[in-house]
Protein backbone atom coordinates (compact mmCIF):
# COMPACT_ATOMS: atom_id res chain seq x y z
CA UNK A 1 0.00 0.00 0.00
CA UNK A 2 1.39 3.43 -0.88
CA UNK A 3 1.97 5.82 2.00
CA UNK A 4 1.09 8.77 -0.21
CA UNK A 5 4.34 10.64 0.49
CA UNK A 6 5.36 10.49 -3.18
CA UNK A 7 2.06 11.97 -4.40
CA UNK A 8 2.11 14.66 -1.71
CA UNK A 9 5.71 15.48 -2.60
CA UNK A 10 4.81 15.80 -6.29
CA UNK A 11 1.91 18.15 -5.54
CA UNK A 12 3.99 20.31 -3.23
CA UNK A 13 6.89 20.32 -5.71
CA UNK A 14 4.63 21.60 -8.52
CA UNK A 15 3.13 24.22 -6.20
CA UNK A 16 6.57 25.54 -5.22
CA UNK A 17 7.71 25.63 -8.86
CA UNK A 18 4.61 27.56 -9.91
CA UNK A 19 4.93 29.96 -6.98
CA UNK A 20 8.58 30.73 -7.79
CA UNK A 21 7.73 31.28 -11.47
CA UNK A 22 4.90 33.69 -10.64
CA UNK A 23 6.99 35.60 -8.13
CA UNK A 24 9.87 36.00 -10.60
CA UNK A 25 7.65 37.99 -12.98
CA UNK A 26 9.29 36.22 -15.95
CA UNK A 27 7.39 34.45 -18.70
CA UNK A 28 7.74 30.75 -19.43
CA UNK A 29 9.53 31.61 -22.67
CA UNK A 30 12.11 33.86 -20.96
CA UNK A 31 12.78 31.33 -18.21
CA UNK A 32 13.05 28.46 -20.70
CA UNK A 33 15.69 30.34 -22.72
CA UNK A 34 17.76 31.01 -19.62
CA UNK A 35 17.49 27.37 -18.56
CA UNK A 36 18.15 25.95 -22.07
CA UNK A 37 14.93 23.92 -22.13
CA UNK A 38 11.68 24.04 -24.06
CA UNK A 39 8.80 26.25 -22.90
CA UNK A 40 6.38 23.30 -22.89
CA UNK A 41 8.69 21.24 -20.68
CA UNK A 42 9.00 24.02 -18.11
CA UNK A 43 5.20 24.51 -18.15
CA UNK A 44 4.66 20.78 -17.44
CA UNK A 45 7.06 20.96 -14.48
CA UNK A 46 5.20 23.93 -12.98
CA UNK A 47 1.74 22.46 -13.60
CA UNK A 48 2.61 19.06 -12.11
CA UNK A 49 2.04 17.04 -15.29
CA UNK A 50 5.74 16.07 -15.51
CA UNK A 51 8.63 15.62 -13.09
CA UNK A 52 12.32 16.28 -13.94
CA UNK A 53 14.41 13.10 -13.87
CA UNK A 54 17.35 15.11 -12.45
CA UNK A 55 17.40 17.86 -9.86
CA UNK A 56 20.02 20.08 -11.54
CA UNK A 57 17.59 21.94 -13.88
CA UNK A 58 15.25 22.49 -10.93
CA UNK A 59 18.03 24.11 -8.90
CA UNK A 60 18.98 26.36 -11.85
CA UNK A 61 15.31 27.36 -12.20
CA UNK A 62 15.06 28.17 -8.50
CA UNK A 63 18.20 30.31 -8.55
CA UNK A 64 17.04 32.25 -11.61
CA UNK A 65 13.79 32.89 -9.72
CA UNK A 66 15.86 34.06 -6.71
CA UNK A 67 14.66 31.37 -4.30
CA UNK A 68 15.76 31.72 -0.68
CA UNK A 69 18.03 29.07 0.93
CA UNK A 70 15.03 27.65 2.83
CA UNK A 71 13.02 27.46 -0.42
CA UNK A 72 15.93 25.68 -2.13
CA UNK A 73 15.99 23.00 0.56
CA UNK A 74 12.19 22.60 0.58
CA UNK A 75 12.11 22.31 -3.22
CA UNK A 76 14.87 19.69 -3.16
CA UNK A 77 13.14 17.70 -0.40
CA UNK A 78 9.83 17.55 -2.27
CA UNK A 79 11.56 16.61 -5.53
CA UNK A 80 13.20 13.67 -3.70
CA UNK A 81 9.81 12.51 -2.37
CA UNK A 82 8.13 12.91 -5.76
CA UNK A 83 10.95 11.02 -7.52
CA UNK A 84 10.73 8.19 -4.96
CA UNK A 85 6.97 7.96 -5.59
CA UNK A 86 7.58 7.74 -9.32
CA UNK A 87 10.02 4.84 -8.78
CA UNK A 88 7.51 3.02 -6.56
CA UNK A 89 4.76 3.40 -9.16
CA UNK A 90 7.06 2.04 -11.84
CA UNK A 91 7.91 -0.96 -9.65
CA UNK A 92 4.19 -1.68 -9.10
CA UNK A 93 3.28 -1.43 -12.79
CA UNK A 94 1.65 -4.71 -13.93
CA UNK A 95 3.70 -6.88 -16.21
CA UNK A 96 1.80 -8.68 -18.97
CA UNK A 97 2.01 -12.44 -18.64
CA UNK A 98 3.54 -14.15 -21.67
CA UNK A 99 1.27 -16.27 -23.83
CA UNK A 100 1.57 -20.01 -23.51
CA UNK A 101 4.33 -21.36 -25.77
CA UNK A 102 4.43 -24.95 -26.88
CA UNK A 103 8.10 -24.89 -27.78
CA UNK A 104 10.85 -22.56 -28.98
CA UNK A 105 10.19 -21.31 -32.52
CA UNK A 106 12.57 -22.42 -35.20
CA UNK A 107 13.91 -20.14 -37.91
CA UNK A 108 11.27 -21.30 -40.38
CA UNK A 109 8.49 -20.54 -37.89
CA UNK A 110 9.37 -16.83 -37.66
CA UNK A 111 7.38 -14.49 -39.98
CA UNK A 112 9.24 -12.33 -42.48
CA UNK A 113 10.24 -8.84 -41.38
CA UNK A 114 7.39 -6.35 -41.52
CA UNK A 115 4.60 -8.94 -41.31
CA UNK A 116 2.34 -8.99 -38.23
CA UNK A 117 2.96 -11.72 -35.70
CA UNK A 118 -0.10 -13.84 -34.95
CA UNK A 119 -0.05 -15.53 -31.56
CA UNK A 120 -1.52 -19.01 -31.45
CA UNK A 121 -2.81 -20.21 -28.11
CA UNK A 122 -1.50 -23.56 -26.92
CA UNK A 123 -4.02 -26.42 -27.23
CA UNK A 124 -5.82 -27.29 -24.00
CA UNK A 125 -4.25 -30.03 -21.95
CA UNK A 126 -6.50 -33.09 -21.78
CA UNK A 127 -7.92 -33.81 -18.31
CA UNK A 128 -6.15 -37.16 -18.18
CA UNK A 129 -2.76 -35.53 -18.83
CA UNK A 130 -3.38 -32.89 -16.15
CA UNK A 131 -4.26 -35.62 -13.64
CA UNK A 132 -1.06 -37.49 -14.47
CA UNK A 133 0.95 -34.26 -14.00
CA UNK A 134 -0.63 -33.67 -10.59
CA UNK A 135 0.15 -37.24 -9.52
CA UNK A 136 3.77 -36.81 -10.64
CA UNK A 137 4.08 -33.52 -8.73
CA UNK A 138 2.64 -35.09 -5.57
CA UNK A 139 5.09 -37.96 -5.88
CA UNK A 140 7.99 -35.50 -6.18
CA UNK A 141 6.87 -33.68 -3.01
CA UNK A 142 6.61 -36.96 -1.08
CA UNK A 143 10.09 -37.96 -2.28
CA UNK A 144 11.55 -34.59 -1.25
CA UNK A 145 9.97 -34.87 2.21
CA UNK A 146 11.47 -38.35 2.57
CA UNK A 147 14.94 -37.02 1.71
CA UNK A 148 14.62 -34.24 4.31
CA UNK A 149 13.54 -36.72 6.98
CA UNK A 150 16.51 -38.98 6.23
CA UNK A 151 19.22 -36.34 5.88
CA UNK A 152 18.32 -33.94 8.73
CA UNK A 153 18.82 -36.45 11.63
CA UNK A 154 22.16 -37.46 10.11
CA UNK A 155 23.40 -33.87 10.14
CA UNK A 156 21.83 -32.53 13.32
CA UNK A 157 22.27 -35.56 15.53
CA UNK A 158 18.64 -36.79 15.57
CA UNK A 159 17.50 -33.77 17.66
CA UNK A 160 14.37 -32.70 15.83
CA UNK A 161 14.10 -29.31 17.57
CA UNK A 162 17.82 -28.61 17.24
CA UNK A 163 17.72 -29.56 13.57
CA UNK A 164 14.91 -27.13 12.84
CA UNK A 165 16.72 -24.35 14.72
CA UNK A 166 19.97 -24.91 12.84
CA UNK A 167 18.18 -25.04 9.51
CA UNK A 168 16.54 -21.69 10.26
CA UNK A 169 19.91 -20.12 11.16
CA UNK A 170 21.36 -21.29 7.87
CA UNK A 171 18.51 -19.70 5.92
CA UNK A 172 18.93 -16.43 7.79
CA UNK A 173 22.63 -16.38 7.09
CA UNK A 174 22.03 -16.95 3.41
CA UNK A 175 19.51 -14.13 3.27
CA UNK A 176 21.92 -11.64 4.86
CA UNK A 177 25.05 -12.50 2.89
CA UNK A 178 26.60 -9.22 1.81
CA UNK A 179 27.04 -8.55 -1.94
CA UNK A 180 30.38 -9.83 -3.13
CA UNK A 181 30.76 -12.15 -0.14
CA UNK A 182 31.31 -15.83 -0.78
CA UNK A 183 28.92 -18.18 0.97
CA UNK A 184 30.02 -21.58 2.32
CA UNK A 185 30.14 -23.95 -0.63
CA UNK A 186 28.29 -27.24 -0.78
CA UNK A 187 29.72 -30.24 -2.59
CA UNK A 188 29.17 -29.88 -6.33
CA UNK A 189 26.67 -32.25 -7.94
CA UNK A 190 29.45 -34.00 -9.83
CA UNK A 191 31.72 -34.46 -6.79
CA UNK A 192 31.14 -37.37 -4.39
CA UNK A 193 29.38 -36.23 -1.22
CA UNK A 194 31.19 -36.72 2.08
CA UNK A 195 29.86 -39.30 4.49
CA UNK A 196 27.62 -37.69 7.10
CA UNK A 197 28.81 -37.58 10.69
CA UNK A 198 27.54 -40.44 12.87
CA UNK A 199 24.27 -39.68 14.67
CA UNK A 200 24.62 -38.03 18.07
CA UNK A 201 22.43 -38.69 21.01
CA UNK A 202 19.89 -35.95 21.77
CA UNK A 203 21.78 -34.96 24.96
CA UNK A 204 25.30 -35.10 23.55
CA UNK A 205 27.13 -31.95 22.52
CA UNK A 206 29.93 -32.25 19.89
CA UNK A 207 33.37 -31.21 21.12
CA UNK A 208 34.00 -27.50 20.60
CA UNK A 209 30.34 -26.74 19.73
CA UNK A 210 28.18 -24.34 21.69
CA UNK A 211 25.65 -25.83 24.07
CA UNK A 212 21.99 -25.75 22.98
CA UNK A 213 21.28 -23.00 25.53
CA UNK A 214 24.02 -20.69 24.19
CA UNK A 215 22.97 -18.12 21.58
CA UNK A 216 25.53 -16.50 19.32
CA UNK A 217 24.85 -12.97 18.05
CA UNK A 218 25.27 -12.97 14.27
CA UNK A 219 27.05 -10.01 12.67
CA UNK A 220 24.78 -7.26 11.34
CA UNK A 221 25.18 -7.72 7.59
CA UNK A 222 21.90 -6.05 6.65
CA UNK A 223 22.24 -2.87 4.59
CA UNK A 224 22.02 0.41 6.54
CA UNK A 225 18.49 1.87 6.79
CA UNK A 226 19.44 5.00 4.85
CA UNK A 227 20.83 6.19 1.54
CA UNK A 228 23.30 9.00 0.91
CA UNK A 229 23.29 10.75 -2.46
CA UNK A 230 26.41 12.79 -3.22
CA UNK A 231 27.00 15.76 -5.51
CA UNK A 232 30.79 16.28 -5.47
CA UNK A 233 30.85 19.68 -7.21
CA UNK A 234 28.06 22.00 -6.07
CA UNK A 235 28.03 25.52 -7.47
CA UNK A 236 27.04 27.99 -4.76
CA UNK A 237 26.48 30.23 -7.78
CA UNK A 238 27.15 29.72 -11.47
CA UNK A 239 30.76 30.90 -11.13
CA UNK A 240 31.89 29.58 -7.76
CA UNK A 241 33.66 26.43 -8.96
CA UNK A 242 37.33 26.56 -9.95
CA UNK A 243 39.38 23.58 -11.18
CA UNK A 244 43.12 22.94 -11.44
CA UNK A 245 44.11 21.19 -14.68
CA UNK A 246 47.58 20.07 -15.75
CA UNK A 247 47.08 21.37 -19.31
CA UNK A 248 47.27 24.64 -21.18
CA UNK A 249 44.13 26.56 -22.20
CA UNK A 250 44.29 25.27 -25.78
CA UNK A 251 43.84 21.70 -24.51
CA UNK A 252 40.98 22.44 -22.07
CA UNK A 253 37.36 22.48 -23.20
CA UNK A 254 34.81 25.22 -22.38
CA UNK A 255 33.57 25.46 -18.77
CA UNK A 256 30.87 23.07 -17.57
CA UNK A 257 27.72 23.60 -15.54
CA UNK A 258 27.13 21.80 -12.27
CA UNK A 259 25.38 18.80 -13.82
CA UNK A 260 28.31 18.23 -16.22
CA UNK A 261 31.09 19.01 -13.73
CA UNK A 262 31.85 15.36 -12.79
CA UNK A 263 32.27 14.39 -16.47
CA UNK A 264 34.28 17.55 -17.19
CA UNK A 265 36.61 16.92 -14.25
CA UNK A 266 37.11 13.27 -15.24
CA UNK A 267 37.81 14.18 -18.90
CA UNK A 268 40.57 16.69 -18.04
CA UNK A 269 41.87 15.12 -14.83
CA UNK A 270 40.71 18.23 -12.95
CA UNK A 271 40.96 18.81 -9.19
CA UNK A 272 38.89 21.29 -7.18
CA UNK A 273 40.86 24.49 -6.73
CA UNK A 274 41.11 26.10 -3.28
CA UNK A 275 37.71 24.87 -2.06
CA UNK A 276 35.08 22.26 -2.83
CA UNK A 277 31.37 22.37 -1.98
CA UNK A 278 29.83 18.89 -1.59
CA UNK A 279 26.10 18.20 -1.09
CA UNK A 280 24.79 15.14 0.76
CA UNK A 281 21.14 14.08 0.44
CA UNK A 282 20.37 11.67 3.30
CA UNK A 283 17.08 9.74 3.35
CA UNK A 284 15.77 6.75 5.29
CA UNK A 285 14.77 3.62 3.40
CA UNK A 286 11.89 2.60 5.65
CA UNK A 287 9.25 3.96 7.99
CA UNK A 288 11.56 3.94 11.02
CA UNK A 289 13.45 7.07 12.02
CA UNK A 290 17.22 7.08 11.55
CA UNK A 291 19.31 9.32 13.79
CA UNK A 292 22.38 10.87 12.15
CA UNK A 293 24.74 11.01 15.11
CA UNK A 294 27.82 12.74 13.70
CA UNK A 295 29.76 13.55 10.55
CA UNK A 296 33.56 13.14 10.49
CA UNK A 297 36.23 13.99 7.92
CA UNK A 298 39.14 11.64 7.20
CA UNK A 299 42.36 12.72 5.46
CA UNK A 300 43.53 10.00 3.08
CA UNK A 301 46.60 11.86 1.80
CA UNK A 302 48.14 15.33 2.01
CA UNK A 303 50.96 16.81 -0.06
CA UNK A 304 52.32 19.93 -1.71
CA UNK A 305 49.78 21.94 -3.74
CA UNK A 306 49.49 21.13 -7.43
CA UNK A 307 51.49 23.34 -9.82
CA UNK A 308 48.66 23.38 -12.39
CA UNK A 309 46.59 26.07 -14.09
CA UNK A 310 43.40 27.40 -12.50
CA UNK A 311 40.22 27.49 -14.64
CA UNK A 312 37.03 29.28 -13.50
CA UNK A 313 33.65 27.90 -14.49
CA UNK A 314 32.11 31.41 -14.70
CA UNK A 315 32.67 35.12 -14.18
CA UNK A 316 31.01 37.83 -12.10
CA UNK A 317 28.57 35.86 -9.95
CA UNK A 318 27.65 36.12 -6.29
CA UNK A 319 25.59 34.44 -3.62
CA UNK A 320 26.00 31.31 -1.59
CA UNK A 321 24.33 28.35 0.08
CA UNK A 322 24.14 28.59 3.86
CA UNK A 323 21.25 26.34 4.91
CA UNK A 324 22.52 23.31 6.86
CA UNK A 325 26.09 24.12 5.77
CA UNK A 326 29.27 22.81 7.37
CA UNK A 327 32.92 23.79 7.06
CA UNK A 328 36.09 21.67 6.84
CA UNK A 329 39.53 23.32 7.12
CA UNK A 330 41.76 20.79 5.36
CA UNK A 331 44.93 22.60 6.48
CA UNK A 332 44.37 21.72 10.15
CA UNK A 333 46.30 18.84 11.67
CA UNK A 334 43.09 17.02 12.63
CA UNK A 335 40.27 18.52 10.53
CA UNK A 336 36.73 18.42 11.89
CA UNK A 337 33.32 19.17 10.43
CA UNK A 338 32.06 22.41 12.00
CA UNK A 339 28.74 24.21 11.55
CA UNK A 340 28.49 27.52 9.69
CA UNK A 341 26.38 30.61 10.34
CA UNK A 342 25.22 29.67 13.85
CA UNK A 343 23.26 26.63 12.69
CA UNK A 344 22.76 23.66 14.98
CA UNK A 345 25.16 20.76 14.93
CA UNK A 346 24.39 17.04 14.71
CA UNK A 347 22.40 14.93 15.54
CA UNK A 348 19.67 15.10 12.89
CA UNK A 349 16.79 12.73 12.14
CA UNK A 350 15.72 11.38 8.74
CA UNK A 351 13.15 8.93 7.44
CA UNK A 352 11.77 7.86 4.10
CA UNK A 353 9.36 10.80 4.07
CA UNK A 354 11.69 13.35 5.68
CA UNK A 355 15.14 13.62 4.02
CA UNK A 356 17.86 16.13 4.85
CA UNK A 357 20.34 17.95 2.60
CA UNK A 358 23.75 18.98 3.97
CA UNK A 359 26.37 21.18 2.31
CA UNK A 360 30.04 20.71 3.24
CA UNK A 361 32.62 23.29 2.16
CA UNK A 362 36.20 21.96 2.32
CA UNK A 363 39.03 24.41 1.68
CA UNK A 364 42.83 24.56 1.71
CA UNK A 365 45.45 27.28 1.17
CA UNK A 366 48.62 25.20 1.45
CA UNK A 367 48.09 21.56 0.46
CA UNK A 368 46.83 19.03 -2.05
CA UNK A 369 44.41 16.95 0.03
CA UNK A 370 42.51 13.71 -0.62
CA UNK A 371 39.66 13.32 1.87
CA UNK A 372 36.32 11.67 2.54
CA UNK A 373 33.55 11.67 5.14
CA UNK A 374 32.08 9.17 7.61
CA UNK A 375 28.44 9.46 8.70
CA UNK A 376 27.49 7.79 12.00
CA UNK A 377 23.88 6.58 12.32
CA UNK A 378 21.60 4.69 14.71
CA UNK A 379 18.12 3.23 14.34
CA UNK A 380 16.43 1.20 17.07
CA UNK A 381 19.04 -1.22 18.34
CA UNK A 382 21.28 -0.89 15.29
CA UNK A 383 24.27 1.38 14.83
CA UNK A 384 26.74 1.85 12.02
CA UNK A 385 28.68 4.16 9.75
CA UNK A 386 28.49 5.07 6.07
CA UNK A 387 31.55 6.16 4.10
CA UNK A 388 30.87 9.13 1.81
CA UNK A 389 33.24 9.79 -1.10
CA UNK A 390 33.37 10.60 -4.82
CA UNK A 391 32.03 7.40 -6.44
CA UNK A 392 34.50 5.13 -4.65
CA UNK A 393 37.50 7.47 -4.56
CA UNK A 394 38.34 10.27 -2.09
CA UNK A 395 37.41 13.85 -2.83
CA UNK A 396 40.44 15.90 -3.87
CA UNK A 397 41.02 19.61 -3.22
CA UNK A 398 44.25 21.53 -3.80
CA UNK A 399 45.49 25.03 -2.99
CA UNK A 400 45.92 27.40 -5.93
CA UNK A 401 48.32 30.00 -4.52
CA UNK A 402 50.36 31.67 -7.27
CA UNK A 403 48.92 29.54 -10.06
CA UNK A 404 48.06 31.09 -13.45
CA UNK A 405 44.30 31.59 -13.80
CA UNK A 406 42.03 31.54 -16.85
CA UNK A 407 38.45 32.75 -17.42
CA UNK A 408 35.99 32.00 -20.22
CA UNK A 409 34.01 35.20 -20.91
CA UNK A 410 30.30 34.78 -21.73
CA UNK A 411 29.83 34.67 -25.49
CA UNK A 412 33.56 34.08 -26.02
CA UNK A 413 35.22 31.15 -27.67
CA UNK A 414 38.46 30.69 -25.75
CA UNK A 415 40.12 30.87 -22.36
CA UNK A 416 41.55 34.28 -21.44
CA UNK A 417 44.37 34.65 -18.89
CA UNK A 418 43.18 36.26 -15.67
CA UNK A 419 45.02 39.43 -14.69
CA UNK A 420 43.72 39.65 -11.11
CA UNK A 421 41.52 37.49 -8.89
Amino acid sequence: MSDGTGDAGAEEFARLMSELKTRSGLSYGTLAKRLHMSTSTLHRYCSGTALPTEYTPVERFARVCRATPDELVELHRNWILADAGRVRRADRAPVAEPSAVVGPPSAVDLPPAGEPVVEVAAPPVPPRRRRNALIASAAAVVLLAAVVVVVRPAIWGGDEAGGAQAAGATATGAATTAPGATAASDPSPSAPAEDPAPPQSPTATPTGAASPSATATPPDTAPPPLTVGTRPYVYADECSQHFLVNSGPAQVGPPAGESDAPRWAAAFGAVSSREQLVALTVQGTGAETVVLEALHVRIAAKGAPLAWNDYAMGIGCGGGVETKSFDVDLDRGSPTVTVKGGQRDFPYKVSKSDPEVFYITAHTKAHDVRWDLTLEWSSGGRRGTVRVDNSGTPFRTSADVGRPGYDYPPGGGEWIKRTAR
Side-chain angles (χ1 to χ4, degrees):
M1 178 181 295
S2 173
D3 55 9
T5 56
D7 294 337
E11 293 175 3
E12 183 65 11
F13 173 79
R15 187 192 68 78
L16 291 170
M17 289 280 289
S18 179
E19 183 178 293
L20 287 172
K21 185 269 172 191
T22 301
R23 194 178 70 193
S24 72
L26 301 174
S27 67
Y28 281 108
T30 301
L31 284 170
K33 287 181 181 179
R34 294 190 183 184
L35 299 172
H36 305 290
M37 68 172 62
S38 69
T39 304
S40 60
T41 297
L42 179 59
H43 185 270
R44 288 197 298 271
Y45 291 166
C46 294
S47 63
T49 57
L51 182 71
T53 56
E54 294 184 357
Y55 181 69
T56 301
V58 178
E59 186 167 24
R60 288 202 305 267
F61 165 85
R63 293 188 185 281
V64 170
C65 295
R66 300 186 180 278
T68 65
D70 288 340
E71 288 172 333
L72 285 171
V73 172
E74 188 65 15
L75 191 65
H76 194 181
R77 189 179 79 87
N78 282 282
W79 177 84
I80 294 170
L81 297 176
D83 188 59
R86 172 172 55 190
V87 172
R88 286 195 299 271
R89 287 191 295 272
D91 292 340
R92 293 196 302 266
V95 179
E97 296 184 0
S99 302
V101 178
V102 177
S106 62
V108 296
D109 295 329
L110 298 176
E115 291 188 7
V117 178
V118 180
E119 295 186 359
V120 180
V125 180
R128 182 183 186 86
R129 188 177 301 174
R130 287 202 300 268
R131 185 179 60 214
N132 292 341
L134 291 174
I135 294 174
S137 300
V141 172
V142 172
L143 179 59
L144 180 60
V147 172
V148 172
V149 170
V150 172
V151 174
R152 185 173 288 173
I155 296 177
W156 304 109
D159 185 352
E160 184 174 348
Q165 181 180 358
T170 303
T172 303
T176 57
T177 301
T182 304
S185 59
D186 293 330
S188 61
S190 59
E194 297 182 5
D195 293 333
Q200 303 283 344
S201 64
T203 58
T205 301
T207 304
S211 63
S213 60
T215 56
T217 302
D220 187 356
T221 56
L226 74 161
T227 60
V228 182
T230 305
R231 286 187 289 155
Y233 309 110
V234 175
Y235 293 11
D237 55 58
E238 294 181 1
C239 316
S240 61
Q241 180 68 45
H242 286 240
F243 284 108
L244 292 171
V245 181
N246 191 23
S247 298
Q251 287 76 46
V252 177
E258 181 181 317
S259 60
D260 295 323
R263 289 188 291 270
W264 194 95
F268 297 105
V271 173
S272 287
S273 176
R274 187 175 49 180
E275 72 175 25
Q276 183 169 359
L277 179 58
V278 177
L280 309 182
T281 301
V282 187
Q283 184 177 19
T285 57
E288 69 278 6
T289 297
V290 182
V291 179
L292 310 180
E293 303 283 359
L295 185 64
H296 305 286
V297 61
R298 183 184 72 100
I299 302 300
K302 182 182 289 188
L306 298 172
W308 296 356
N309 295 326
D310 178 276
Y311 295 90
M313 296 295 103
I315 303 175
C317 297
V321 177
E322 293 299 332
T323 299
K324 294 186 177 59
S325 296
F326 298 84
D327 184 83
V328 177
D329 185 354
L330 297 173
D331 291 329
R332 294 183 59 182
S334 299
T336 58
V337 179
T338 58
V339 295
K340 295 175 63 177
Q343 301 168 83
R344 70 178 181 86
D345 202 350
F346 283 83
Y348 283 84
K349 293 181 180 181
V350 298
S351 65
K352 190 173 184 179
S353 60
D354 191 16
E356 287 281 6
V357 181
F358 304 102
Y359 295 93
I360 295 89
T361 301
H363 51 88
T364 175
K365 296 181 179 179
H367 301 92
D368 170 24
V369 187
R370 299 173 191 262
W371 57 281
D372 56 27
L373 299 163
T374 301
L375 180 63
E376 294 184 14
W377 61 268
S378 64
S379 180
R382 299 181 61 199
R383 305 183 67 87
T385 60
V386 174
R387 179 65 54 83
V388 182
D389 54 26
N390 188 6
S391 300
T393 61
F395 303 109
R396 188 177 185 184
T397 312
S398 176
D400 64 343
V401 178
R403 303 314 310 155
Y406 293 88
D407 298 323
Y408 206 96
E414 60 181 352
W415 291 99
I416 304 299
K417 191 167 184 178
R418 190 182 312 134
T419 56
R421 193 164 211 182

